[in-house]
Amino acid sequence: MSVIRKSVPPFSAKVTLGLERGYSGEAIDEQEVIRYIQELQDKQIREKSFYLSVSVSKCNIVLSGQYESHLILEFINYPRFPLDTDVLKKEIEWMTHQLMDKFEQNRTVIQYPDETVMFEKEKAIDPRIIQGNKN
């Protein structure tokens, strides 16, 4: 059996999504997030023939009094469905906005190799975080 090797230029993105609705303390079920990601993927496939694979893992964000469960969504330029970097970023950011709206996230960060992008709906900060400088 022969194996075909296919390569694309490296690309990665990492989105960190909180598992609490806003700053309410109300937990979001991980499976609900995964089901919604699959709905968004199905929409991208149907409408754009766009295949965006996502690796999902758990983590916790710690800052002062905040200790919140999060999901890390990791994306690569998958060689089976290679895409231009600008297109990948646009679609990842679209998905991130959809997730923010659905799960009531005020702020979400995407890490790319060349930049870190923050999407913020308002300047509010989790009340569990001690604020010394109010700027």
Side-chain angles (χ1 to χ4, degrees):
M1 171 190 282
S2 67
V3 176
I4 298 170
R5 182 181 188 277
K6 188 168 185 179
S7 174
V8 296
F11 171 87
S12 63
K14 183 164 86 170
V15 176
T16 308
L17 184 74
L19 287 176
E20 287 183 11
R21 292 190 190 279
Y23 303 125
S24 69
E26 179 188 342
I28 299 167
D29 179 54
E30 175 185 357
Q31 291 305 310
E32 183 182 356
V33 175
I34 290 170
R35 281 189 299 274
Y36 190 61
I37 288 170
Q38 290 172 318
E39 286 177 32
L40 296 172
Q41 289 170 321
D42 291 345
K43 180 176 179 155
Q44 288 172 313
I45 292 167
R46 256 190 337 271
E47 295 178 3
K48 302 175 186 175
S49 295
F50 186 89
Y51 294 81
L52 185 62
S53 170
V54 183
S55 170
V56 178
S57 56
K58 295 179 185 179
C59 74
N60 295 302
I61 300 292
V62 177
L63 178 58
S64 183
Q66 177 195 37
Y67 180 79
E68 182 181 347
S69 295
H70 281 67
L71 292 178
I72 297 173
L73 312 177
E74 293 184 272
F75 303 85
I76 63 169
N77 193 2
Y78 187 56
R80 176 65 180 93
F81 306 107
L83 294 157
D84 179 73
T85 297
D86 291 336
V87 173
L88 277 165
K89 283 185 173 185
K90 179 182 173 204
E91 293 299 322
I92 290 166
E93 291 178 13
W94 172 82
M95 182 179 280
T96 300
H97 290 162
Q98 302 305 307
L99 290 164
M100 286 179 74
D101 287 343
K102 173 82 171 171
F103 298 107
E104 301 173 39
Q105 300 297 295
N106 182 47
R107 190 175 295 105
T108 302
V109 173
I110 303 176
Q111 294 174 272
Y112 297 113
D114 61 338
E115 66 179 331
T116 299
V117 176
M118 179 180 73
F119 296 117
E120 180 178 58
K121 292 181 180 179
E122 59 183 54
K123 295 212 178 274
I125 294 189
D126 189 322
R128 296 172 291 191
I129 297 172
I130 297 169
Q131 297 182 57
N133 183 350
K134 302 287 183 183
N135 292 331

